[in-house]
Amino acid sequence: MTVGRVDQARRALFLDVDGVLTSSRSELALGIPKDLSPGEVLKFDQVALGLVRRLCDVGQVGVVISSARRAAHNWTEFGRALDLPTIGQTPALGRRGVEIQAWLDMHPEIEQFAILDDMDEMLAIQRPHFVRTTYGDGLCFTTLRDLVEKFDLNVYDLLPQSDELPSAAAPAPRA
C-alpha cells in the first residue's frame, strides 16, 4: 500500500492511533511506540494494523489521520511507516468532531466515511459513522465488525481468498 490521492478516494476512514492501533494490551506486551521509526512501528498492534489494511484494500478506503500524533508526524509519514493508504489528515481545531467535519467540508468527493476512535468528541451528525474502541483493547473483532458495516461490508468480506493465503498458512499434507 502506498500514500494515496484524495481525489481518487470515495471512502474515508478517520483514524485515531492511541487506543485504536495501540492499546493497554499491546503496550504491556510490546511497549509504547514513541515515533514512526522501524523499531517503534513494531510496537503498534500488528493485528489491528493488518485489519485496517485489509479493510482499506477490500473496501477501497483511504485513511485520514485524525490522531493527535499528527502534530509530530504528518499523514504521509503515517502512510509510509504503517503501510496504510493515507489520503490526508484533519486540521488542528481543538475538537475531533469539528476537525473531521472541516476535512469533510473540504472534500465533497467523499461518499462514505467512518470514524474509528477511543474518545467520543464527535458531532451529533457524525454519530452514525462513529465506532468507538477502548484503550484497553484497541481495534478488536467487535469494533471491526461495527466498522466494516459503515462501508456496507460484512466482516467476512475481509477474509483472504484461497489464492491470497501465504504458503505457511496452507495445511500440511497428511502422510
Side-chain angles (χ1 to χ4, degrees), residues 30-162:
L30 306 169
I32 300 170
K34 302 202 180 350
D35 57 44
L36 295 176
S37 64
E40 294 296 301
V41 164
L42 295 175
K43 295 179 183 178
F44 284 88
D45 183 332
Q46 298 301 305
V47 171
L49 268 171
L51 293 172
V52 170
R53 289 179 191 129
R54 189 72 184 157
L55 168 65
C56 292
D57 185 44
V58 170
Q60 298 179 327
V61 175
V63 172
V64 179
I65 303 298
S66 57
S67 171
R69 286 187 183 230
R70 71 193 186 286
H73 304 283
N74 71 36
W75 61 276
T76 58
E77 292 174 296
F78 273 101
R80 280 191 292 271
L82 300 180
D83 194 25
L84 293 172
T86 54
I87 58 172
Q89 69 185 33
T90 56
L93 301 173
R95 185 169 175 222
R96 193 76 41 100
V98 172
E99 296 168 345
I100 290 169
Q101 193 59 53
W103 193 92
L104 283 168
D105 290 345
M106 292 185 293
H107 299 282
E109 68 277 6
I110 298 300
E111 297 169 359
Q112 283 185 307
F113 71 95
I115 304 164
L116 190 58
D117 204 311
D118 68 322
M119 301 291 290
D120 187 355
E121 299 177 345
M122 303 312 143
L123 305 177
I125 195 167
Q126 297 165 340
R127 295 241 172 258
H129 306 275
F130 177 52
V131 176
R132 188 171 187 177
T133 61
T134 66
Y135 202 90
D137 292 323
L139 179 60
C140 62
F141 183 79
T142 305
T143 51
L144 176 69
R145 187 180 56 220
D146 294 342
L147 177 63
V148 299
E149 288 176 359
K150 305 298 182 193
F151 295 109
D152 300 321
L153 297 170
N154 181 295
V155 71
Y156 297 106
D157 294 337
L158 303 186
L159 286 172
Q161 301 302 308
S162 59

